[in-house]
Amino acid sequence: MTGYTTGVLLLVIIFVLVYFGLAHRVLDRLYLSDRAALTLIVAMIIGSFINIPITSGRVVTSVNVGGGLIPLGLAIYVLYRAGTAWEVSRALLGAVITAAVLSGISILTRGREAWNVYGLSLLDPLYYYPLIAGVVAYLVGRSRRAAFVGAILGVLLLDLVDLFYYLSRGLRGTVAFGGAGIIDVTFMAAVVAVLLAEFIGEARERIQGGPKADGRPRSLLAGLRGASLKPLPDNKKDNGGEQGE
């Protein structure tokens, strides 16, 4: 019930920020309009009550529409719209490393004794998984888009690792891609990653007097400084994004 309450609260906060136009800067980096973002939030709420069963053998597997399919679709969309191949590579690398880190933590904390040894017996994975996934995805991705995609795909990859773990050992278990709550670790991790990229990226931009324009493609610079953005020479090369994107 705690996770449900936390999810609803976070979703309401995001909805309010988007509704009043306070998240426009972040949405712009993710190629989303306010209307599209609000539609996605409503779709995630409705979709969170829909689980699509995949198997019913020893490992019961399902995909949650609101916590799995919609975030996955959004990640693919942002990845497709990414400015450079280098940014796509960082996002995918961030996803793999995020999944690896979470998988390692899952192994260390698997079982009652391990939980007590590592002092995690009082912590719900709903809290520390998004934080860890968000931080790792940001550190590897270094941009809002790469961090967002890395966090979502990283958590979903962790579910895939769990599925292979059960199948390889012939164990009975349940794997729910995207969980079954109003808002799952998948989306919460993405929120943490984007917030880190936004705050740190904004701080860097302010210190250096605006987004770095040297050697960066026009597609990534569009709208970063608004009307104050100076025209760029035509010979600028597409060398990838930076932390503030």
Side-chain angles (χ1 to χ4, degrees):
M1 189 65 184
T2 303
Y4 177 87
T5 304
T6 303
V8 172
L9 178 61
L10 179 58
L11 207 58
V12 169
I13 292 174
I14 295 174
F15 188 94
V16 171
L17 291 176
V18 173
Y19 183 81
F20 287 102
L22 300 178
H24 181 74
R25 177 185 171 91
V26 174
L27 294 176
D28 185 58
R29 301 300 194 282
L30 300 177
Y31 310 108
L32 292 173
S33 65
D34 291 354
R35 179 176 297 181
L38 291 175
T39 301
L40 284 170
I41 291 175
V42 173
M44 280 192 289
I45 294 176
I46 297 174
S48 66
F49 297 101
I50 304 174
N51 284 306
I52 302 176
I54 299 178
T55 62
S56 57
R58 296 182 66 87
V59 182
V60 179
T61 310
S62 64
V63 177
N64 184 263
V65 174
L69 285 184
I70 294 178
L72 175 61
L74 183 55
I76 293 174
Y77 166 75
V78 173
L79 195 63
Y80 175 76
R81 293 289 305 274
T84 65
W86 175 239
E87 188 174 26
V88 172
S89 300
R90 287 187 309 188
L92 295 178
L93 178 62
V96 172
I97 294 179
T98 298
V101 171
L102 291 180
S103 181
I105 293 174
S106 176
I107 293 174
L108 289 175
T109 58
R110 185 171 286 137
R112 186 181 302 275
E113 292 182 3
W115 277 73
N116 291 330
V117 169
Y118 292 98
L120 297 175
S121 57
L122 299 179
L123 296 179
D124 190 325
L126 180 65
Y127 296 119
Y128 62 83
Y129 265 38
L131 290 175
I132 294 172
V135 170
V136 173
Y138 165 70
L139 290 177
V140 179
R142 306 293 287 177
S143 76
R144 296 168 180 86
R145 289 180 290 270
F148 180 81
V149 172
I152 290 178
L153 297 184
V155 175
L156 291 177
L157 279 176
L158 174 65
D159 291 331
L160 192 60
V161 170
D162 286 341
L163 176 60
F164 281 128
Y165 174 81
Y166 287 124
L167 292 176
S168 64
R169 293 177 176 267
L171 301 175
R172 292 184 179 275
T174 301
V175 176
F177 288 88
I182 284 292
I183 187 169
D184 185 60
V185 173
T186 308
F187 191 71
M188 292 177 69
V191 171
V192 171
V194 171
L195 286 178
L196 283 174
E198 174 65 18
F199 290 137
I200 297 177
E202 173 71 10
R204 278 196 59 182
E205 289 176 8
R206 288 182 179 278
I207 292 174
Q208 67 189 18
K212 181 181 176 183
D214 229 8
R216 299 171 70 183
R218 293 175 180 273
S219 60
L220 293 180
L221 291 169
L224 289 183
R225 292 193 224 162
S228 64
L229 182 62
K230 298 178 181 179
L232 293 174
D234 292 332
N235 60 351
K236 293 295 181 183
K237 295 183 179 180
D238 191 348
N239 291 329
E242 294 292 336
Q243 178 173 330
E245 295 157 9

